[in-house]
Amino acid sequence: MGLINATGFTAPTISNLVRKLINEGLVVETGHAESTGGKRRVLLQLNHASRYAVGVHLDNDVLTYVLTNLAGVAVARIARPGAGAEEPPAVVARIAAEIATLIDSVGLERARVLGLGLVLPGPSIRQWEGFPLGPALEQATTLPVVLDNDATAAALGEHWAGGFGAATAAAALYMGTGIGAGLVLNGITYRGPSGSAGELGHVCVHADGPRCWCGGRGCVEAVAGPAAVVAAGRADAALAGALGLRGGAEQTSVATDFATISRAARRGEPRALALLERSARYVATATRTLVSIMDLEVVVLTGPSFAVAGSVYLPVVRQELHGHLARSAPTVDVRLSRSAATACAIGAATLVLESELVPLRQGLRLPGPLDSEPVPRTESAG
């Protein structure tokens, strides 16, 4: 009766659909509800071990892989060297081999993997522009592929993991080598007409600031992103010498040096701490703009850079939002993600799960065992 009331379908239709789900192993009966005078209702739940999805976060420095079950819970994960300057075909071949290793590590039948979700930085890694990444990965892995950007995937992962709680308007503030934000409104990721919603890194926080790669001036990413922090650290001879920050021919990656500066800041090194706190103030200012425009209830700080520096950024962002928003606005809950380092890869896997479980709400669909008939849903998958 519960499904009949929620969907408007007839009892025979519901029975047929449920039986098909049970036969596919996607749903299991768990008992009966208490009697209300008539026939006792059968209780159903998803069989979380019936299907799996692979999520991959592709970045210059690190390739992160996760395998999740049908509930979006990671059951295996690995990290490998990033794409760097490697040519796309070579990276695709490596991704396919590493995905096979991930699946084999848990002894999983390949047929139970629904697909592959892959995410990249919002403006993708430059050498990948124009490369047919989706088709190439589908051919190399023989899995359906869904692509998205890292910030949106991180937000989706937080939603599935319960990181936003009961909020109806929330954002994942993502910081890797760049800065972005993913938005979830009423349980649905909001991408905007062109997929560019949440480009927080290109909010102007300094009208006469440095030129950003996007062409604008004073973008928060150009002024305060990890690359800006690292550049300032390398330019400080005393700090660079003390921490081993290297430029020129021996230059290490932005991610490596940002992590080094962050560890020093957490130890109380004053120059390193000053660099991060300056960055945090700009990030907090841009976040206040986003919160004011979108009327957000929750902001979660996530991504590899917040994984190592979140303890410095969190109090600064909280102070900015709690101290300078309009008096009529409710207090915004600002949190650190519980899975900041792997949030994108988990979100990438949940892209696959949403495309299978919520086709009517998300407008996505991967080929699979349920293609012949749509399966009704009564609530968000998260």
Side-chain angles (χ1 to χ4, degrees), residues 305-327:
S305 292
F306 282 134
V308 295
S311 61
V312 177
Y313 283 79
L314 181 63
V316 178
V317 175
R318 278 179 172 165
Q319 182 179 10
E320 179 71 22
L321 297 186
H322 295 174
H324 299 288
L325 287 175
R327 291 186 181 274

Side-chain angles (χ1 to χ4, degrees), residues 39 52 58 65 74 108 131 137 167 228 241 244 271-272 327 330 370 373:
K39 185 177 179 180
Y52 294 81
L58 172 63
Y65 301 82
L108 186 65
F131 181 77
L137 275 173
R271 289 185 177 88
R327 291 186 181 274
L370 307 181
E373 293 182 48

Side-chain angles (χ1 to χ4, degrees), residues 175 179 219-229 258 278-280 282-283 313:
M175 189 160 72
I179 301 173
C219 296
V220 65
E221 191 168 301
V223 172
V229 171
F258 184 81
R278 177 181 182 274
S279 167
Y282 282 116
V283 170
Y313 283 79

Side-chain angles (χ1 to χ4, degrees), residues 252-277:
T252 47
S253 72
V254 167
T256 297
D257 281 358
F258 184 81
T260 299
I261 293 169
S262 300
R263 287 192 292 270
R266 296 201 308 269
R267 294 194 303 267
E269 208 292 329
R271 289 185 177 88
L273 185 59
L275 286 178
L276 288 193
E277 288 182 337

